[in-house]
Amino acid sequence: SILLFPGTNHALTPELVDEALSQAQPGDMVLLQNETSSIPYTMKQAAARGLETVWNPSPCPQDVEAFPLEAVSTFAVNELEGAAIAGCAEPEAILDTLRARFPHVKVLLTLGSRGSCYDDGTRVYADCVKVQAVDTTAAGDTFLGFFLANRDRIGPQAALKLASAAAAMAVTVAGAANSIPTLAAV
């Protein structure tokens, strides 16, 4: 089972964020999701420093429009999160709306069993790899990590396929961190 307990994750202060970001260089990436505190502050500070801010709004906040969405470089969303931000439910409409509202933004949209899409001005799609799932706990984190780590190295299309394969491998193993495969294994 998954237990969410704020603990240390909600002890992030602006001072701790500033300290961490002080080590970053323009072009570095900051990956954020909503299980930590100081997200709006971090978004603004990362953008001000020229960092690529990737935001996975999971769990999706009720007040998503209150976040400084203009500071986001890449939205990493599933259909529900994308719909909450875009105000529409169809995948193509989500992509069109986010790109129209935030012309500078890239969008990584996961579509469950229908695969995934990445839009950085050009849209590429990948099917999902079908497997018998044992535990889906780390699937999203595995997918996102593999995609972001490889997007610029091998290109978005190949990175989507690699990320899908990695996530498929992860769900065939019980557990979270121990289920994430190595790049060599994928």
Side-chain angles (χ1 to χ4, degrees):
S1 67
I2 300 172
L3 173 68
L4 295 179
F5 174 71
T8 302
N9 283 352
H10 279 238
L12 293 178
T13 63
E15 294 78 22
L16 288 171
V17 169
D18 288 341
E19 182 180 334
L21 293 181
S22 72
Q23 304 300 309
Q25 301 296 317
D28 286 350
M29 185 183 301
V30 175
L31 172 58
L32 302 168
Q33 50 78 31
N34 285 345
E35 292 178 350
T36 60
S37 56
S38 299
I39 296 296
Y41 180 82
T42 306
M43 287 175 165
K44 289 177 186 175
Q45 293 304 309
R49 294 171 190 263
L51 308 179
E52 180 180 356
T53 304
V54 179
W55 187 41
N56 178 356
S58 177
C60 196
Q62 295 288 337
D63 62 344
V64 69
E65 291 297 325
F67 283 70
L69 302 180
E70 69 283 349
V72 174
S73 307
T74 302
F75 288 109
V77 294
N78 63 26
E79 289 176 277
L80 295 175
E81 296 153 357
I85 298 169
C88 51
E90 292 300 314
E92 293 298 321
I94 291 169
L95 294 165
D96 290 341
T97 300
L98 292 178
R99 296 280 300 151
R101 282 182 58 200
F102 309 100
H104 69 282
V105 82
K106 300 168 189 144
V107 182
L108 173 61
L109 178 63
T110 58
L111 304 167
S113 64
R114 292 174 291 137
S116 58
C117 176
Y118 180 72
D119 186 334
D120 62 0
T122 301
R123 289 186 188 163
V124 294
Y125 299 84
D127 292 331
C128 101
V129 175
K130 308 242 189 232
V131 295
Q132 184 66 37
V134 172
D135 184 350
T136 62
T137 304
D141 294 328
T142 301
F143 181 89
L144 184 55
F146 269 83
F147 178 77
L148 292 174
N150 292 286
R151 176 193 63 192
D152 296 337
R153 186 177 69 81
I154 62 175
Q157 179 76 61
L160 284 177
K161 291 178 180 179
L162 181 71
S164 183
M169 290 176 71
V171 302
T172 63
V173 177
N178 64 299
S179 73
I180 300 172
T182 63
L183 180 58
V186 178

